[in-house]
C-alpha cells in the first residue's frame, strides 16, 4: 500500500515550537519514525511538508489516483482552509487527520477543524505516536 503523509504550515519548524505542546522532535526525526513504522507495517510511505497552501492542495490532487491512503496534518489550515477541505473531499481513498497536540483542549479557535467530518479517522493529541496509529489504521483498510 502506498501512503502519502502530508504535514502543513509550520511543521517544518517543529523542533523550534513549544516542546511542552509539540514534544520537541524535529520534522526530520518525525519523518524517520514514520518511515520506520511504515516499513514495519509493510507500507510504502512518502512524507512531504509545505508552507504553501497551493502546493499542499496540488499534492492532494496528485494523490487522487496514485496512493491508497493519506495521513494529513494541515497545521493551522485545519481550522479555516475550505480550499484544502474541497481538495480532500475529492479523494476516493481514506485519509486520517492527525494533530500532534490536543487541539480540543487548546485555544477556542483551534477546537474546530474544517476537515474533521471528511476524515475516515482522527488522531489527536497523541504526539508522534498519532502517526503510527494512523498508519496502523490505514494498513487495516488494505486488508481483505
Ligand atoms: C497542529 C495543531 C494546529 O492547531 C497548529 O496550528 C499546528 C499543528 C498539531 O499537529 O497539533 O500547526 O496541527
Amino acid at each position: 500500500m502506498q501512503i502519502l503523509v502530508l504535514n502543513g504550515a509550520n511543521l517544518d519548524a517543529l523542533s523550534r515550537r513549544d516542546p511542552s505542546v509539540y514534544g520537541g522532535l524535529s520534522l526530520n526525526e518525525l519523518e524517520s519514525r514514520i518511515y520506520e513504522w511504515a516499513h514495519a507495517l509493510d507500507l510504502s510511505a512518502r512524507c512531504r511538508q509545505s508552507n504553501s497552501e497551493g502546493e499542499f492542495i496540488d499534492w492532494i490532487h496528485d494523490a487522487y489516483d496514485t496512493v491508497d491512503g493519506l495521513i494529513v496534518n494541515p497545521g493551522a489550515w485545519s481550522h479555516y482552509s475550505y480550499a484544502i477541505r474541497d481538495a480532500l473531499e475529492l479523494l476516493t481513498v481514506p485519509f486520517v487527520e492527525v494533530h500532534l497536540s490536543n487541539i480540543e483542549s487548546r485555544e477556542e479557535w483551534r477546537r474546530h477543524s474544517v476537515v474533521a467530518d471528511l476524515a475516515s479517522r482522527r488522531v489527536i493529541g497523541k504526539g508522534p505516536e498519532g502517526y503510527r496509529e494512523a498508519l496502523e489504521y490505514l494498513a487495516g483498510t488494505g486488508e481483505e
Side-chain angles (χ1 to χ4, degrees):
M1 280 182 87
Q2 300 281 341
I3 307 297
L4 179 65
V5 182
L6 295 181
N7 283 303
N10 297 305
L11 287 160
D12 56 329
L14 203 52
S15 62
R16 288 188 283 128
R17 299 180 77 176
D18 185 347
S20 68
V21 176
Y22 293 108
L25 226 63
S26 70
L27 179 64
N28 231 334
E29 289 163 339
L30 174 64
E31 291 183 343
S32 297
R33 287 192 192 185
I34 292 169
Y35 286 125
E36 278 169 29
W37 291 327
H39 182 72
L41 289 163
D42 220 11
L43 300 171
S44 169
R46 176 167 193 201
C47 297
R48 309 191 88 171
Q49 186 279 331
S50 184
N51 292 323
S52 155
E53 190 178 4
E55 187 171 45
F56 201 81
I57 290 167
D58 287 341
W59 290 341
I60 297 168
H61 287 175
D62 293 345
Y64 178 79
D65 52 5
T66 56
V67 306
D68 303 298
L70 289 86
I71 295 172
V72 183
N73 181 350
W77 291 324
S78 319
H79 312 302
Y80 66 87
S81 176
Y82 294 108
I84 288 173
R85 181 195 161 86
D86 282 350
L88 289 169
E89 198 166 19
L90 296 174
L91 292 172
T92 51
V93 293
F95 82 88
V96 183
E97 177 186 2
V98 170
H99 297 282
L100 291 156
S101 65
N102 186 357
I103 53 172
E104 279 160 10
S105 67
R106 297 181 65 195
E107 302 94 317
E108 187 65 43
W109 60 270
R110 289 189 205 270
R111 294 187 191 164
H112 182 65
S113 159
V114 299
V115 306
D117 61 306
L118 299 176
S120 298
R121 180 121 171 185
R122 303 180 76 216
V123 187
I124 292 168
K126 296 192 174 171
E129 285 291 321
Y131 290 81
R132 192 216 289 255
E133 194 174 312
L135 287 166
E136 285 168 351
Y137 169 77
L138 290 172
T141 65
E143 282 163 13
E144 295 294 301

